[in-house]
């Protein structure tokens, strides 16, 4: 019911494959697919009771793109069967891990949707002799590369949390619990431990991939290394359907430092200046992690102004005294009440508690985003910050409490120690990844959606003018980005095309910003 309502009010905002081919697929073809699946999988068609919730992508902007059929895949073999069947009848096959968070709606299709949620197994293997790589950071003891963990393509960030809380095992993942690990790792994977342990894609040991011809390969440094290279930052659904991933994990014991700092928008200039200086000064300090940003929410002009603010959050692998010293320029900013509150927020917690405190979802219901990778030469000036703050107060508003603004995720540490061509993730010289976002509710009128998207374009222009930074983050895809090939992949794009031509020569797996299009 909800999906039907959303679809009727929110037409798709991106091009979708034609439904003509889907209409030519016979009922017998669908029956053959259903019979070919194992008992652990289920085929859903429009009209089935299980169809609406599975058809709905996380970003409801794309709820109007309705799959002709959905296979809830219970085994890797069923993924293979589904891909072969889709190819034989001329339908595209699109995988969706998690709830389908893809910002640009690329996990939506009018063809066959492969829902991977049932592939949610998690199996760990300790590595003999790993204790020799034990290091101490403040009150945190870490066994580096303690073993491997293999996860199915349906595992989410939230699914891995109990492993951290109950067993002290950790794989660097993102902060949104419902995001699928598959989409995260294939596009890179930033979070609050990436400076210490690398991006999610840097921890990948191997991955199983169902190719367009129905073949199945295990890609690693030793087997299909070109495909393995492409799967570490080349974004999802470009070479095949990844059904499982094996990562190196760390073993934790002890506490980490966390902080949650907030100010009114009046402090935007000193906060952003101080945060950027701190990020540059700690670029090589892999223990310190930072996210800083500004935002607001509300419907009326008074609400938008009252809710506008600046914030900085993160964690630290070390003693609290060291963390307070790093944060000192930020802790000195603001009113007496803000300074007292921010100072009190600096504390030690368990890694599991830190994961909960620092978690947040991507915007819900309907949203748009634009991103940029900021290098040391392209950090935000006071003029840019002032323009952003001014434009923030001009946000048209919506009924979505996620509101609008931008966030900057600090890079450096282990991320920047990897050469740009060592993996498909090319952004190895950045200081921040900036994400500018706006959101609106399903029941907001179309004029609100239009106003929000117009504002996002103006907001981004207010910050960067007509010459934005040349690089953007492929896990925050922007369907309006013109030179997305170089923005997402830089000098690695041509090599990614060669990988695509080898493993998917007919471009069976394709979408508007797919490699090779």
């Amino acid at each position: 019911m909800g999906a039907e309502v959303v679809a009727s009010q929110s037409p798709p905002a991106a091009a979708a494959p034609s439904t003509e081919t889907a209409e030519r697929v016979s009922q017998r073809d669908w029956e053959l697919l259903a019979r070919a699946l194992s008992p652990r999988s289920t085929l859903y068609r429009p009209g089935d009771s299980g169809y609406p919730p599975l058809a709905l992508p996380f970003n409801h902007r794309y709820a109007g793109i309705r799959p002709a059929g959905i296979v809830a895949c219970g085994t890797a073999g069923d993924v293979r069967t589904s891909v072969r069947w889709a190819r034989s009848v001329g339908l595209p096959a699109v995988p969706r891990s998690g709830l389908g968070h893809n910002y640009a709606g690329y996990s939506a299709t009018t063809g066959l949707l492969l829902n991977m949620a049932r592939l949610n197994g998690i199996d760990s293997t300790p590595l003999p002799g790993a204790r020799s790589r034990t290091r101490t950071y403040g009150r945190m003891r870490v066994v580096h590369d303690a073993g491997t963990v293999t996860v199915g393509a349906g595992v989410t960030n939230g699914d891995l949390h109990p492993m951290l809380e109950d067993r002290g095992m950790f794989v660097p993942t993102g902060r949104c619990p419902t995001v699928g690990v598959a989409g995260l790792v294939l596009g890179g994977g930033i979070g609050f431990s990436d400076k210490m342990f690398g991006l999610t894609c840097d921890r990948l040991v191997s991955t199983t991939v169902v190719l367009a011809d129905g073949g199945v390969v295990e890609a690693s440094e030793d087997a299909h290394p070109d495909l393995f290279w492409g799967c570490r930052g080349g974004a999802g659904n470009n070479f095949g359907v990844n059904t499982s991933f094996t990562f190196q994990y760390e073993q934790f014991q002890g506490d980490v430092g966390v902080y949650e700092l907030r100010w009114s928008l009046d402090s935007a200039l000193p906060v952003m200046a101080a945060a950027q200086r701190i990020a540059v000064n700690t670029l090589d300090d892999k223990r310190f992690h930072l996210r800083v940003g500004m935002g607001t929410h509300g419907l009326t002009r008074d609400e938008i102004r009252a809710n506008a603010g600046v914030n900085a959050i993160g964690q630290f692998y070390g003693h609290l005294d060291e963390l307070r010293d790093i944060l000192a320029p930020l802790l000195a900013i603001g009113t007496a009440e803000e300074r007292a509150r921010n100072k009190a927020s600096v504390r030690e917690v368990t890694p599991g508690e830190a994961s909960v405190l620092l978690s947040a979802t991507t915007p819900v219901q309907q949203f748009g985003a634009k991103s940029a990778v900021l290098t040391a030469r392209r950090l935000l000036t006071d003029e840019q910050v002032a323009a952003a703050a001014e434009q923030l107060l001009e946000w048209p508003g919506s009924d979505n409490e996620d509101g609008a603004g931008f966030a900057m995720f600090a890079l450096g540490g282990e991320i920047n120690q990897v050469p740009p061509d060592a993996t498909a993730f090319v952004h190895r010289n950045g200081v921040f990844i900036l994400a500018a976002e706006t959101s609106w509710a399903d029941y907001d009128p179309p004029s609100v959606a239009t106003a929000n998207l117009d504002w996002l374009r103006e907001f981004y222009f207010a910050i960067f003018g007509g010459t934005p930074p040349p690089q953007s983050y492929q896990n925050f895809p922007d369907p309006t980005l013109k030179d997305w090939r170089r923005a997402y992949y830089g000098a690695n794009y041509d090599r990614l095309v060669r990988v695509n031509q080898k493993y998917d020569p007919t471009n069976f797996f394709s979408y508007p910003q797919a490699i090779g299009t």
Side-chain angles (χ1 to χ4, degrees):
M1 176 69 172
E4 296 293 342
V5 172
V6 170
S8 66
Q9 294 184 358
S10 307
S18 169
T19 59
E20 294 179 1
T21 303
E23 292 170 353
R24 290 200 301 267
V25 178
S26 69
Q27 180 62 31
R28 174 169 170 74
D29 286 327
W30 290 108
E31 292 170 354
L32 289 173
L33 172 60
R35 288 202 295 267
L37 297 172
S38 77
R40 296 178 61 182
S41 295
T42 308
L43 172 64
Y44 297 95
R45 298 293 315 287
D48 294 340
S49 60
Y51 176 93
L54 293 180
L56 185 66
F58 186 83
N59 189 347
H60 295 176
R61 281 180 71 189
Y62 306 101
I65 303 176
R66 314 284 283 174
I70 305 170
V71 175
C73 299
T75 71
D78 291 320
V79 175
R80 183 183 187 185
T81 295
S82 299
V83 168
R84 285 181 164 177
W85 177 89
R87 184 161 189 147
S88 71
V89 299
L91 283 184
V94 174
R96 176 181 294 174
S97 63
L99 299 178
H101 278 260
N102 189 282
Y103 281 26
Y106 298 146
S107 59
T109 180
T110 57
L112 184 66
L113 181 65
L114 308 180
N115 185 287
M116 313 295 277
R118 295 183 186 179
L119 298 177
N120 59 359
I122 303 175
D123 297 302
S124 60
T125 304
L127 181 66
R131 294 285 169 187
S132 63
R133 293 211 59 214
T134 300
R135 300 289 184 272
T136 300
Y137 307 92
R139 294 181 59 187
M140 169 61 65
R141 190 164 153 270
V142 180
V143 180
H144 289 280
D145 301 333
T148 60
V149 58
T150 300
V151 305
V155 168
T156 65
N157 288 334
D159 293 330
L160 292 178
H161 176 77
M163 188 174 74
L164 170 64
E165 182 69 35
D166 302 334
R167 300 166 61 186
M169 296 166 56
F170 176 76
V171 173
T173 58
R175 65 190 299 237
C176 179
T178 56
V179 163
V181 173
L184 181 77
V185 61
L186 292 172
I190 57 175
F192 282 106
S193 293
D194 48 14
K195 288 182 66 181
M196 173 66 85
F197 303 116
L199 301 167
T200 311
C201 71
D202 295 335
R203 310 300 298 173
L204 189 66
V205 175
S206 64
T207 179
T208 303
V209 187
V210 176
L211 303 177
D213 62 2
V216 180
V217 298
E218 184 84 10
S220 67
E221 290 282 11
D222 299 322
H224 305 281
D226 50 352
L227 178 59
F228 182 62
W229 176 87
C231 287
R232 288 176 293 164
N237 198 25
N238 272 305
F239 315 112
V241 180
N242 299 70
T243 59
S244 70
F245 304 86
T246 298
F247 301 99
Q248 290 177 322
Y249 71 80
E250 321 295 313
Q251 194 77 44
F252 279 81
Q253 187 175 14
D255 295 333
V256 296
V258 297
Y259 60 94
E260 303 168 276
L261 316 180
R262 292 182 287 116
W263 303 266
S264 73
L265 194 63
D266 294 336
S267 295
L269 265 66
V271 167
M272 295 305 301
Q276 290 182 106
R277 284 196 302 271
I278 290 172
V280 171
N281 293 338
T282 60
L283 190 65
D284 297 325
D285 187 346
K286 64 183 183 180
R287 301 172 302 163
F288 177 74
H289 298 77
L290 165 71
R291 172 207 173 276
V292 62
M294 65 170 67
T296 190
H297 61 93
L299 266 176
T300 68
R301 188 61 47 207
D302 288 343
E303 289 175 343
I304 291 167
R305 184 172 294 276
N307 292 329
V310 193
N311 62 81
I313 60 175
Q315 70 180 15
F316 180 69
Y317 295 89
H319 295 288
L320 280 189
D321 288 344
E322 294 179 276
L323 176 57
R324 292 190 185 100
D325 287 342
I326 293 172
L327 294 174
L330 288 171
L331 296 175
I333 298 172
T335 65
E337 181 183 355
E338 288 172 337
R339 293 197 304 271
R341 182 185 64 225
N342 290 340
K343 183 179 179 180
S345 80
V346 183
R347 62 200 190 278
E348 285 185 333
V349 299
T350 68
E353 290 170 331
S355 178
V356 173
L357 287 170
L358 299 173
S359 68
T361 186
T362 52
V364 298
Q365 297 191 45
Q366 303 192 43
F367 57 93
K370 300 179 77 66
S371 72
V373 179
L374 305 183
T375 64
R377 295 182 177 182
R378 292 294 301 267
L379 296 179
L380 300 185
T381 64
D382 284 349
E383 290 76 15
Q384 288 174 295
V385 174
E390 182 179 350
Q391 192 65 30
L392 185 68
L393 297 178
E394 297 301 317
W395 182 57
S398 78
D399 261 319
N400 191 325
E401 291 190 0
D402 282 318
F406 74 74
M408 293 165 56
F409 302 86
L411 303 175
E414 291 294 324
I415 303 169
N416 292 19
Q417 295 302 309
V418 178
D421 60 352
T423 68
F425 187 88
V426 74
H427 314 300
R428 301 291 184 171
N429 66 338
V431 180
F432 287 103
I433 288 177
L434 180 147
E437 298 172 344
T438 189
S439 64
W440 58 99
D442 290 336
Y443 45 86
D444 281 327
S447 60
V448 171
T450 300
N452 268 261
L453 291 172
D454 288 344
W455 175 88
L456 178 62
R457 184 176 62 254
E458 293 164 1
F459 183 59
Y460 197 79
F461 185 85
I463 300 173
F464 297 117
T467 56
Q471 295 186 3
S472 298
Y473 183 31
Q474 53 266 45
N475 267 355
F476 299 156
D478 172 10
T480 69
L481 190 60
K482 292 182 179 179
D483 192 12
W484 58 266
R485 297 166 182 83
R486 301 302 168 185
Y488 296 156
Y489 306 114
N492 287 341
Y493 182 74
D494 293 339
R495 182 176 173 185
L496 283 165
V497 170
R498 292 194 295 272
V499 175
N500 173 261
Q501 290 172 341
K502 178 177 178 180
Y503 290 94
D504 185 14
T506 64
N507 262 349
F508 175 70
F509 297 108
S510 187
Y511 51 94
Q513 289 183 339
I515 291 166
T517 56

